[in-house]
Structure formats: C-alpha cells, structure tokens
Amino acid sequence: MTLLTTWPESGPETTVRRTSDPAEIAAALAPLGVRYEQWPVRPDVPFDADSETVFAAYGPEIDRLNAQEGFSTVDVLGLHPSDDPGFPAKAKAAREKFLQEHTHDDDDEIRFFVSGSGIFYLHVNGEVHAVLCEKGDLLGVPRGTTHWFDMGTAPSFTAIRFFHEEDGWIGTFTGDGIAGRFPDFDTITAGYRA
C-alpha cells in the first residue's frame, strides 16, 4: 500500500503528515507539481516480467501517458534478488547512487511500479515528502525538484521509466547529506508493514 510521510527538512522528529489514502496523497503532491496516479494492477504479470510482457500488459496506459507527454524513450528496469554472485554488489552500487540528493535539469523522473516497491524522497519548500510507491503506483517528479530514491538493502522491483530526453537518467547531485538524516526504505517499510 502506498504511503506518504512528510517531515520538516530539519529532520524526522516531527511528522507533518502520514497517509495511505491515494486521494490524499495525490492532493498533497499536486501543489508540488508531482504527478501521482494508480494504474490497474495486472495480476498475470510476473514480478520479474521482461520488457515485452510489461509493454503488452500496460500498453493502453503507456500509450495514454505518451500521448499526453510525448516521450522519446520508454523502457523497463528490473532489479530483483538472484543467484548471481554479483547481485549484492550491483544492488549496493545502484542504491548508493540514487540515495544521494539530486535533481534532473532536463527531464522529469516518471516511474510506474509494475512490481515491488521503492521510496522517492522529495525535498521541497522546507519539507521532505517520502512517497512509498508500490505495485500500481505512478509517480512523476518534475525536473528541478531535489529528491533521492531508496530501494532498500534487498531491492526487488520492476518499473516502467519514461524519458523526454533520449539521454535517459542524468542526475545533478547537490552534495547535501540530507538523505542520511531521514528514515531509509528498510526502516519505513518495517514499521509500516509490521
């Protein structure tokens, strides 16, 4: 289930907002320019589905969003635990990169979660908004918005990524260590799902 938690940027000692109601989440994020939608979940799509399966299952939704936005690239990214001995190092490197606060100067960051989950932390107007996205959630972070993403220490998700620019994901890192002051994916999901 999706969860939005908002704190002052000074730290998580005080919670400004905590809700799992999709309408409240959308209403809270809209003034920030953040797109939040829920798409139908396709139960016949495996959690580790390949691109072809994902595109076939979500074609109408992808086409609708592409008609509105005119993306140059739409792809599928999956990161799931495997027997590959290199997986832990790969997952750790990916997590460390995205855990650093950054912006995107030339593109929005739009993701739809086909399976699994991740948390986008939006640092806007003196607050940090942690948006736990799960299967069926689409989140669009506007270009120029400071944010970071946490997939946890044992990442498992498949997401559709939408890009206006052909270069794909290009982050401009702020150098701020703010991400280290807030509860991470593992902490939030452990408390939420307990």
Side-chain angles (χ1 to χ4, degrees), residues 47-48 78-92 153-157:
F47 77 97
D48 59 350
L79 188 59
H80 298 279
S82 73
D83 294 335
D84 175 0
F87 176 79
K90 177 182 174 183
K92 182 179 179 186
T153 55
S156 181
F157 67 89

Side-chain angles (χ1 to χ4, degrees), residues 45-115:
V45 176
F47 77 97
D48 59 350
D50 61 19
S51 297
E52 185 177 321
T53 302
V54 170
F55 285 134
Y58 288 97
E61 290 84 4
I62 293 168
D63 291 345
R64 175 187 56 82
L65 189 57
N66 199 26
Q68 292 172 0
E69 298 274 345
F71 299 107
S72 64
T73 306
V74 179
D75 68 12
V76 175
L77 173 69
L79 188 59
H80 298 279
S82 73
D83 294 335
D84 175 0
F87 176 79
K90 177 182 174 183
K92 182 179 179 186
R95 183 178 190 226
E96 288 175 358
K97 176 181 178 181
F98 298 127
L99 267 176
Q100 300 175 54
E101 185 182 63
H102 60 276
T103 64
H104 302 289
D105 298 333
D106 298 323
D107 209 346
D108 300 338
E109 185 164 350
I110 301 174
R111 303 291 180 265
F112 171 73
F113 285 80
V114 175
S115 68

